[in-house]
Amino acid sequence: MKFKKKKRQDDFQKVKLKVGKTKPKADNATNTNFRSKGIHLTEQLKRDTSGPTTHRQLGLNDLMSQLHHYSANIKHSALLGLKELLSLNPSLLEQQLSRLVSEVAAVFTDKDGNVRLAATRVLRFIAQSVPAERVAPFSPVLSAHLSCAMTHIEISIQEDAMKILDVLLEHYPALLAARPAVLLTNFLELISHRQGSGGSKKAQDPKARNWTLSVNPNRTVTSQQWRLTVLLRLGRFLQAVVEERPVEESDIFSPTEGVFGSSGEGRLMPLNLNWEELTYSKVGVKVYEHSGSKPTPRSTFRLRPEVDTGPAVGEDLDSAEAVQSFAATLVPLLLEVWVEASTSDSPWNNSEGAHMLSPDAMSVMFQVLSILQLLRKLAPQQEHQDALDAWFYKEYLGDFKQHFMKNFPYDARDTPRHRKKVDLKRSKQTAVVPGLTVEPLALNITLCQVMVSLSQRQGLGRETDGDWLTPLRTFVRDTLGSGAKLSYRQLHMLLGTVWKMVLTQRSKTVTDDLLAAVYVYYKQRNLTLQTRSLLLSFYSKLYLQEQGHTHIARSKVLCRWLASLPVQLSQLGHRNPALSERLILSIQAAASRKHKDLLKSLLTNACKLYDPQEGVVVLLPAESQQRMVQLLYFLPKMSQSLLANLSCCCTTGRISAGLAASLIRIVHFRSSLSGWSVGSEEAALEDVNYISFLFSTLTGFSTEKLAALQEADDESILPPSPLSPLSLYPTPMEQFTHHWDVVEEVCHCLETLGSKSQCFDIVQNGICKYLIKLGVVPDSMAAGLLRAVSRLLDLSVLPIEPVLRFLSQCCLSLMALLISLEQELPAETNHKREAIWGACVSALSSVPRLLRMVLQLMRVGDLSEEELPQLGQILSMLLQHTPIHNQLLANAALLQDIIQQLTRYSRGATREQWLTDLLYCYSVTVAHGSSARRGNLGLRDMY
């Protein structure tokens, strides 16, 4: 039987599709019949509003976090954004300064050069915006990261560390100089390395060198150029350390302007400190142990305290031993640097062109010499510097003479320029340090200063240094005497060299030779104020050294310079007040020591200097005027013409009243009438000229001015009238006040002459001879005469009739002026009215018969109707003043007659107020003095 075969079901059986039929859906088909909605996270999409952001919407926290990213591009962009953020929001510098400094300093040692360059730019921006006192708390952080960069194993990081050091030295030199120990060690490690002990014998040798120059062929520049780069920064760093040291006044090599003067800057002076004010102050205050009076002993200078071999840098450079130990390490390295540079500069042994240096060699030598000079200045005190110079002289004079003085003076070598294809890699390796070009003159001057600083004082068994000082002295003399233009720094260094040579050589020939060269430069025209002041300070301080230095005291050049100072001062005048002040200081210093040549020249030019119109005494500022007045005390003689000029200076108001009083007092002390003298010194002026000077000053006007007033047609001059017998010239308020103060001083001098009667007789004769014929009298002169007469009057000498008549006219005219001033300008003329009234009352109460003559001048019949009230007010004022009641009672009959005439001539239905006041005052005065008049009948004959 046949069975039917069953079909088997295959896996993955293919579906047969039929045309026109719907395609079946797959088992894994996705159902797309749904709707979606967005989810909004509002807090996540909000912008960071906690602070300002950059244009990329990055805040400070974001940028700070990106500085720790592994990608160099991210860190570079973060630093750029940080600079952008700080420039747009400067307030962040004050708020986040600590974070900024620490984060930016942390990338000083980054592996990528672009990151380090951006960090340097951010640091420069911070340094330009934040003062040093605000960064001071974070200076240890900056110093630590800078030290890491300077001592990094990567050469490129060391090279970029120089750029960071430049920024800090430019803006924060004091912060780096505060703790120099670590950085000095870093400088040494950049150009040298420490040698091994090499056995016990080498370790025991005190002169064994523990440091030697290092060479790294992987640098982008040559070893010589790298050393030059490091030495340039080392010199700037040492300069910052020196500038932070307290400078003694005797340090003539100080870089300040007043190095040869006595400005007093740089002294150790006590300060009253207020810490709250000093917290954010820009003035740094240093505190010294024992107030700086007792130096604290320091340990030996060490470069590596943990290493036993070799000297190392200690914590500070506060002791001479520390500086000497550091110099013992650095100086051999500097000499080795110069030897290699000079050898590579001229490899052949040719002595003819050995003094011609290439620019690279000249730069190296200049930096070596500059650092040597700065090492001297690191000494804490002057005596330490002298000891350090002696140590340099003992240890390195032979080396310096061999390596530096052998080919002195040096000059620049002309390098021919070849037109060849430039090899960029080779030109990069031999490129000169940018911004460092040294002139031969600057190099030679620096060498002179370094070598002369080693010279010791001659004598006391010391050998002379003439063999190597002679070419230096010749160079200094030729440079100053050639008339070449020198910069301020170059001239300062040359003058310091001359100073050292003069004080150490102790030779009159050497002194005159050098000072003559300086004087040739001094006589040049068109010198700047700073240069001229430096030369004046040099000569002035050198003159002050004459005691104990006979070769300076006998110098003809110095005497010639001193004799020319008064002439220069008279010619300069007020065109340059600062330079004139310098000249006056120099003249004053020499005049106080009674230098004959200067006093003779000063006496010759005194009339020009003290001219009341064009003299420097009236044209210069107040401080210089005071010095000119003080200079009068040292004049050996005062001529009549000079006294006339001095009198005009006192009265014209070109100098202050206080200074005029000082001038009068000095002239008084120099006269024989004062009774004050020093030793056998003769009086500077004759008695007649002194009295004439006082009387001219008392009047306040010269003869020429008084004569011009008599002929002047000035509307301000008050015409004479029955109530004002004299025509008064009203002086301005300022002039009147000035003259009144001068009158008080003149009266004081006259009172101290001894006999009052003789002084009064002299004043009386002067009035009678020169003043009684005047028709126009200044009110200041009239008031001054009344004041002087009342203070000098002695009852044993009565005034003569002409003088009494003139004084009575002055008194009545002044009282009439008082009434008009009170009516017109009562507030502005208050001081003037008080002075005039006080002078009139004191004269009326003390001068016999003066009040009677004043009353006799009151002719009521000659007065106009407008003048009657003025006369009534004058009488009322006199009656109300108690000190002259006795004099009024002595002239009661004359006073009664004047009042009766006033009552008769004052017409009107009602009595005016001024007349009522006058009658009341008269009745009170007469009633009060009726009882006393019987006992004082003798006053009628005197007054």
Side-chain angles (χ1 to χ4, degrees):
M1 177 178 176
K2 256 179 170 177
F3 291 97
K4 195 173 183 177
K5 193 176 181 178
K6 189 177 179 181
K7 243 182 191 179
R8 191 167 51 108
Q9 186 74 21
D10 297 333
D11 295 333
F12 308 105
Q13 188 177 3
K14 184 179 179 180
V15 179
K16 294 182 178 181
L17 301 178
K18 294 182 180 181
V19 179
K21 298 295 182 177
T22 303
K23 183 178 180 179
K25 294 182 178 181
D27 295 337
N28 60 348
T30 302
N31 183 10
T32 59
N33 294 328
F34 62 86
R35 292 182 180 180
S36 62
K37 292 184 179 181
I39 300 175
H40 299 280
L41 303 178
T42 56
E43 295 297 329
Q44 188 179 18
L45 296 179
K46 277 188 177 182
R47 294 181 180 179
D48 185 11
T49 58
S50 59
T53 59
T54 63
H55 72 284
R56 298 175 58 193
Q57 309 302 326
L58 295 176
L60 182 63
N61 295 328
D62 300 329
L63 296 174
M64 290 295 186
S65 63
Q66 289 181 2
L67 289 180
H68 300 278
H69 200 273
Y70 66 89
S71 174
N73 293 331
I74 297 295
K75 289 186 284 188
H76 182 263
S77 61
L79 288 170
L80 296 180
L82 194 60
K83 184 178 179 182
E84 175 192 351
L85 188 64
L86 295 178
S87 60
L88 295 177
N89 305 275
S91 60
L92 290 177
L93 285 172
E94 295 291 335
Q95 301 170 3
Q96 305 290 336
L97 184 60
S98 176
R99 291 183 61 193
L100 290 171
V101 171
S102 59
E103 295 293 342
V104 172
V107 294
F108 286 170
T109 55
D110 193 85
K111 295 181 179 181
D112 188 76
N114 293 328
V115 175
R116 297 194 300 270
L117 181 61
T120 305
R121 292 174 179 173
V122 175
L123 178 65
R124 183 179 297 276
F125 178 80
I126 295 175
Q128 292 173 349
S129 305
V130 183
E133 61 269 12
R134 294 282 290 115
V135 185
F138 319 114
S139 60
V141 178
L142 287 173
S143 299
H145 287 286
L146 176 62
S147 298
C148 292
M150 293 176 66
T151 57
H152 203 276
I153 193 172
E154 291 290 336
I155 297 175
S156 58
I157 296 179
Q158 293 181 10
E159 294 174 353
D160 289 340
M162 297 294 100
K163 301 176 183 178
I164 300 171
L165 186 62
D166 290 338
V167 175
L168 297 178
L169 286 175
E170 180 182 356
H171 297 280
Y172 305 128
L175 299 182
L176 291 180
R179 298 174 63 87
V182 177
L183 287 180
L184 288 177
T185 306
N186 296 338
F187 277 116
L188 291 178
E189 293 177 348
L190 286 174
I191 62 173
S192 62
H193 64 274
R194 187 185 300 275
Q195 293 179 336
S197 60
S200 60
K201 182 177 180 181
K202 185 176 180 181
Q204 293 175 359
D205 187 4
K207 293 187 178 181
R209 293 181 52 191
N210 299 314
W211 291 78
T212 185
L213 293 180
S214 60
V215 178
N216 194 332
N218 296 326
R219 294 192 183 275
T220 57
V221 294
T222 62
S223 297
Q224 179 179 335
Q225 290 298 327
W226 171 246
R227 292 165 190 161
L228 179 59
T229 303
V230 176
L231 291 181
L232 176 62
R233 273 72 178 194
L234 176 58
R236 293 178 58 189
F237 178 71
L238 291 178
Q239 182 66 39
V241 175
V242 170
E243 290 178 356
E244 291 302 312
R245 296 294 176 89
V247 180
E248 295 186 1
E249 184 182 354
S250 58
D251 185 9
I252 65 167
F253 294 146
S254 171
T256 56
E257 181 180 353
V259 289
F260 301 108
S262 55
S263 60
E265 297 180 359
R267 296 180 182 177
L268 293 176
M269 301 181 65
L271 295 175
N272 295 324
L273 303 181
N274 188 339
W275 297 111
E276 287 78 8
E277 296 178 359
L278 290 172
T279 302
Y280 297 101
S281 174
K282 293 186 177 182
V283 180
V285 178
K286 291 188 175 182
V287 181
Y288 296 92
E289 187 176 358
H290 304 297
S291 301
S293 60
K294 180 181 178 181
T296 303
R298 303 293 180 185
S299 60
T300 308
F301 206 72
R302 301 292 181 188
L303 277 175
R304 290 287 188 185
E306 68 275 6
V307 180
D308 296 334
T309 59
V313 178
E315 191 65 23
D316 291 309
L317 300 175
D318 291 341
S319 64
E321 294 80 7
V323 177
Q324 181 176 327
S325 180
F326 175 64
T329 301
L330 182 60
V331 172
L333 295 176
L334 296 177
L335 291 175
E336 189 175 349
V337 169
W338 165 239
V339 169
E340 289 191 5
S342 60
T343 304
S344 61
D345 190 55
S346 55
W348 56 88
N349 295 325
N350 186 8
S351 59
E352 295 181 358
H355 68 285
M356 307 292 290
L357 300 180
S358 65
D360 287 348
M362 194 172 295
S363 301
V364 171
M365 187 177 188
F366 181 77
Q367 289 304 318
V368 169
L369 294 174
S370 300
I371 293 174
L372 289 175
Q373 187 61 23
L374 290 170
L375 286 176
R376 292 184 59 256
K377 300 180 182 180
L378 289 176
Q381 297 180 6
Q382 182 65 32
E383 56 270 17
H384 296 158
Q385 183 171 323
D386 296 338
L388 190 61
D389 289 341
W391 177 79
F392 270 111
Y393 181 88
K394 177 182 178 182
E395 297 290 336
Y396 297 106
L397 178 61
D399 295 333
F400 289 174
K401 288 166 61 176
Q402 177 184 356
H403 298 301
F404 298 144
M405 291 299 300
K406 184 177 180 180
N407 301 313
F408 177 82
Y410 295 93
D411 201 352
R413 181 191 305 166
D414 295 332
T415 305
R417 298 181 179 180
H418 302 286
R419 296 184 178 181
K420 294 183 178 180
K421 185 177 180 180
V422 179
D423 188 353
L424 296 179
K425 181 179 294 186
R426 185 175 300 275
S427 63
K428 182 178 181 182
Q429 292 179 354
T430 59
V432 182
V433 178
L436 181 61
T437 56
V438 180
E439 298 179 357
L441 179 60
L443 175 65
N444 291 323
I445 291 176
T446 306
L447 179 56
C448 287
Q449 192 176 25
V450 172
M451 295 303 298
V452 171
S453 64
L454 302 181
S455 62
Q456 304 296 307
R457 294 185 182 273
Q458 303 302 313
L460 301 178
R462 297 179 183 268
E463 57 177 320
T464 60
D465 300 328
D467 56 337
W468 58 275
L469 280 179
T470 300
L472 297 174
R473 185 169 63 248
T474 303
F475 173 79
V476 172
R477 181 194 60 198
D478 296 342
T479 304
L480 289 172
S482 62
K485 292 295 182 182
L486 303 173
S487 66
Y488 176 81
R489 177 177 176 80
Q490 293 172 351
L491 179 61
H492 185 278
M493 296 173 68
L494 281 176
L495 292 180
T497 304
V498 172
W499 177 277
K500 184 74 174 179
M501 285 185 178
V502 169
L503 294 184
T504 55
Q505 295 300 296
R506 295 176 176 268
S507 170
K508 184 177 182 299
T509 304
V510 173
T511 300
D512 283 340
D513 192 23
L514 293 174
L515 293 185
V518 178
Y519 192 66
V520 170
Y521 194 88
Y522 177 82
K523 291 191 296 184
Q524 290 186 12
R525 295 184 177 181
N526 301 323
L527 294 178
T528 62
L529 171 61
Q530 193 180 28
T531 301
R532 185 75 69 180
S533 301
L534 179 63
L535 290 166
L536 286 172
S537 299
F538 167 78
Y539 270 121
S540 299
K541 193 171 182 181
L542 187 64
Y543 170 71
L544 296 179
Q545 300 291 326
E546 67 171 358
Q547 293 183 354
H549 299 84
T550 56
H551 61 288
I552 297 178
R554 298 174 183 175
S555 174
K556 295 181 180 179
V557 179
L558 197 59
C559 295
R560 192 189 319 152
W561 171 77
L562 288 172
S564 66
L565 291 182
V567 181
Q568 297 177 36
L569 182 59
S570 62
Q571 293 175 352
L572 181 62
H574 65 289
R575 290 175 295 179
N576 197 326
L579 188 57
S580 296
E581 173 72 12
R582 286 281 186 180
L583 288 170
I584 294 172
L585 288 173
S586 302
I587 294 173
Q588 197 174 32
S592 62
R593 297 190 173 201
K594 299 182 180 179
H595 193 276
K596 294 182 179 180
D597 296 332
L598 177 113
L599 291 178
K600 183 179 179 181
S601 177
L602 184 62
L603 192 61
T604 305
N605 298 273
C607 291
K608 294 181 181 179
L609 296 174
Y610 294 94
D611 186 86
Q613 300 298 329
E614 300 295 334
V616 294
V617 71
V618 297
L619 297 177
L620 291 179
E623 186 176 356
S624 300
Q625 289 180 350
Q626 183 177 3
R627 297 187 184 277
M628 287 296 297
V629 170
Q630 293 171 356
L631 200 59
L632 288 170
Y633 179 78
F634 304 106
L635 283 179
K637 294 291 181 182
M638 294 186 185
S639 61
Q640 187 174 2
S641 57
L642 176 60
L643 290 174
N645 288 348
L646 295 179
S647 177
C648 292
C649 291
C650 294
T651 57
T652 53
R654 302 292 296 274
I655 61 177
S656 64
L659 193 57
S662 300
L663 191 153
I664 296 170
R665 207 172 298 121
I666 289 176
V667 175
H668 173 72
F669 286 146
R670 294 307 309 277
S671 68
S672 60
L673 297 176
S674 64
W676 188 83
S677 61
V678 178
S680 60
E681 184 178 358
E682 298 181 357
L685 64 163
E686 299 178 358
D687 297 343
V688 177
N689 294 336
Y690 173 60
I691 295 299
S692 177
F693 165 77
L694 290 181
F695 185 77
S696 301
T697 309
L698 178 64
T699 58
F701 286 82
S702 62
T703 306
E704 294 78 9
K705 287 186 177 181
L706 289 176
L709 280 179
Q710 310 306 313
E711 301 176 0
D713 188 12
D714 194 349
E715 297 180 356
S716 61
I717 298 178
L718 302 178
S721 64
L723 195 58
S724 178
L726 295 177
S727 180
L728 289 181
Y729 169 70
T731 55
M733 184 64 191
E734 184 178 358
Q735 182 180 354
F736 184 92
T737 305
H738 175 86
H739 181 69
W740 189 254
D741 296 336
V742 172
V743 166
E744 293 290 341
E745 186 61 34
V746 172
C747 293
H748 175 73
C749 292
L750 288 172
E751 288 176 339
T752 58
L753 292 184
S755 175
K756 275 191 174 183
S757 59
Q758 293 181 356
C759 294
F760 178 79
D761 194 27
I762 292 172
V763 173
Q764 180 175 245
N765 291 335
I767 294 174
C768 185
K769 186 176 181 180
Y770 298 105
L771 303 180
I772 60 176
K773 297 180 181 179
L774 298 178
V776 180
V777 178
D779 56 358
S780 60
M781 186 180 73
L785 290 174
L786 291 176
R787 177 64 175 166
V789 168
S790 62
R791 290 184 61 173
L792 298 175
L793 180 65
D794 191 348
L795 295 181
S796 61
V797 179
L798 296 179
I800 59 178
E801 189 69 21
V803 173
L804 197 59
R805 187 182 306 109
F806 177 75
L807 294 177
S808 63
Q809 293 175 354
C810 291
C811 189
L812 182 57
S813 300
L814 288 175
M815 289 190 292
L817 178 64
L818 280 179
I819 302 302
S820 61
L821 289 176
E822 189 175 1
Q823 294 175 355
E824 296 174 0
L825 300 171
E828 291 80 355
T829 60
N830 189 25
H831 179 269
K832 185 175 184 178
R833 288 186 291 110
E834 291 180 357
I836 291 177
W837 176 246
C840 292
V841 169
S842 61
L844 291 174
S845 60
S846 59
V847 180
R849 298 172 55 203
L850 180 60
L851 180 59
R852 174 180 291 274
M853 296 198 70
V854 171
L855 294 176
Q856 290 175 355
L857 291 175
M858 297 178 181
R859 301 183 182 89
V860 182
D862 299 337
L863 300 179
S864 61
E865 188 174 352
E866 292 78 9
E867 294 175 336
L868 292 177
Q870 297 180 8
L871 179 58
Q873 292 180 21
I874 293 174
L875 292 174
S876 299
M877 292 168 60
L878 293 175
L879 290 170
Q880 294 174 9
H881 204 73
T882 306
I884 60 174
H885 279 183
N886 292 331
Q887 289 81 352
L888 289 173
L889 292 176
N891 298 280
L894 185 57
L895 180 62
Q896 183 179 3
D897 181 62
I898 294 173
I899 294 177
Q900 289 178 355
Q901 293 182 26
L902 283 174
T903 307
R904 187 182 311 114
Y905 281 101
S906 58
R907 304 177 180 85
T910 58
R911 181 181 297 172
E912 296 186 16
Q913 183 64 37
W914 64 268
L915 184 57
T916 304
D917 297 339
L918 175 61
L919 293 176
Y920 173 77
C921 293
Y922 176 74
S923 62
V924 171
T925 303
V926 172
H928 176 72
S930 60
S931 59
R933 186 168 55 176
R934 297 190 186 94
N936 295 312
L937 294 178
L939 292 174
R940 183 177 303 175
D941 298 332
M942 181 178 295
Y943 293 100

